[in-house]
Amino acid sequence: MTKEDWKKYSDVDGECAVRNVLDRLGDKWSMLVIIVLGVEGTLRFNKLHQVIGDISQKMLTVTLKSLEADGLVSRTVYPEIPPRVEYALTERGASLLPHMEGLAEWAATHMEGIYASREKYIGS
Amino acid sequence: MTKEDWKKYSDVDGECAVRNVLDRLGDKWSMLVIIVLGVEGTLRFNKLHQVIGDISQKMLTVTLKSLEADGLVSRTVYPEIPPRVEYALTERGASLLPHMEGLAEWAATHMEGIYASREKYIGS
DNA sequence: CAGAATCCTCCGTGATACTG
DNA sequence: CAGTATCACGGAGGATTCTG
């Protein structure tokens, strides 16, 4: 990342790629949903809900919709009764996985140190 | 990332490394501050404020404090008048940079497609 | 089963003013 | 210069109920 690329990160007018994408991914559930779909593969709505555990039905719906809108997740409806809807990563969504993995590994590696720092820290 | 590592990502009891770290990094400014310090190097408070441009003084203070508490950013006070305070990435903070870079490049690469998808998407 | 529709509650964030 | 101290708000997120 050179200074020449800098404008990509400092734009204030809402056209900064990093900020836009991280804003979207930075919500409470998007990254986790992507990771789950990446690890588990295609999942139905309720299965996804159950695997994540502590997400509300509403937020799962909202999160999936925004991921679908961005073309990161595909939604397949099977016209049966009872209804069946399957979610999976698109190619674009899957291309994010390596980066999530990288972050996950970084997190796992540095967790302990971070917690230790937090405890020692004397905030105001 | 195998299924064996899965528990690291699905823990609900607040001990999930990924969730903890991403929660912290997922706020509005942390990642940007890290990127800026990574690209620009050591910076004083006001310079940081000016370079980012659209962050409030309060949020810059808050963000820097939490990054310092986590040991990602160092804060050096020079006992002069007027005061001078310099911020820089710690080694731990710098170790995050490659991952930020990866995300940034992913974002830059897929931005256009994501925007195109958003426009075509017919949400409810 | 897979959601849609409401209502409601924090709290992250910003604006403003003040200080050592 | 580098912050603190307050006040105020908007919207992300949760709980609950309803539906095709």
Side-chain angles (χ1 to χ4, degrees):
Chain A
M1 192 148 57
T2 68
K3 265 202 174 184
E4 286 78 61
D5 299 322
W6 170 242
K7 48 189 168 311
K8 293 210 294 286
Y9 315 115
S10 66
D11 269 358
V12 168
D13 46 7
E15 296 195 354
C16 167
V18 182
R19 287 211 205 177
N20 271 284
V21 172
L22 293 188
D23 268 12
R24 176 56 60 93
L25 262 36
D27 66 18
K28 197 172 180 182
W29 301 110
S30 291
M31 290 209 199
L32 191 61
V33 167
I34 289 174
I35 290 174
V36 170
L37 287 177
V39 174
E40 300 280 331
T42 301
L43 285 182
R44 301 178 59 165
F45 186 87
N46 272 0
K47 182 65 178 171
L48 205 41
H49 190 195
Q50 161 198 333
V51 169
I52 296 186
D54 60 342
I55 188 175
S56 67
Q57 225 167 33
K58 176 188 173 181
M59 287 318 297
L60 181 54
T61 303
V62 168
T63 302
L64 285 170
K65 253 189 211 163
S66 92
L67 292 176
E68 191 199 354
D70 283 2
L72 298 174
V73 160
S74 67
R75 178 177 185 271
T76 311
V77 182
Y78 296 87
E80 310 167 355
I81 292 182
R84 187 166 114 239
V85 180
E86 291 188 340
Y87 292 92
L89 289 183
T90 61
E91 202 172 322
R92 187 184 297 159
S95 72
L96 243 179
L97 272 179
H99 302 292
M100 302 290 93
E101 236 179 291
L103 273 183
E105 274 160 25
W106 183 92
T109 303
H110 293 86
M111 265 291 281
E112 208 169 337
I114 288 179
Y115 281 166
S117 294
R118 278 184 200 175
E119 280 173 20
K120 275 185 290 188
Y121 183 74
I122 317 288
S124 69
Chain B
M1 192 151 54
T2 69
K3 265 202 175 185
E4 286 80 61
D5 299 322
W6 170 239
K7 46 190 169 311
K8 292 209 296 285
Y9 314 115
S10 65
D11 269 357
V12 169
D13 47 7
E15 297 194 355
C16 167
V18 182
R19 287 211 204 179
N20 272 284
V21 172
L22 293 187
D23 268 13
R24 177 55 60 92
L25 263 35
D27 66 16
K28 198 171 178 181
W29 301 107
S30 291
M31 290 210 199
L32 191 60
V33 168
I34 290 175
I35 291 175
V36 170
L37 287 177
V39 172
E40 301 281 332
T42 301
L43 285 182
R44 301 178 58 165
F45 185 87
N46 272 0
K47 182 65 178 172
L48 205 41
H49 191 194
Q50 161 198 332
V51 168
I52 296 187
D54 60 340
I55 188 175
S56 68
Q57 213 170 38
K58 177 186 174 182
M59 287 319 297
L60 181 54
T61 302
V62 169
T63 302
L64 285 169
K65 254 189 209 161
S66 91
L67 292 177
E68 191 198 354
D70 283 4
L72 299 174
V73 161
S74 68
R75 178 176 185 271
T76 311
V77 182
Y78 296 88
E80 309 168 356
I81 291 182
R84 186 166 114 238
V85 181
E86 291 189 340
Y87 293 92
L89 289 183
T90 62
E91 202 172 322
R92 187 185 295 158
S95 72
L96 243 180
L97 271 179
H99 302 291
M100 301 290 93
E101 235 179 291
L103 273 183
E105 273 160 27
W106 183 91
T109 304
H110 293 85
M111 265 291 279
E112 207 170 338
I114 288 178
Y115 281 168
S117 293
R118 278 185 201 174
E119 281 173 20
K120 275 186 289 189
Y121 183 74
I122 316 288
S124 67

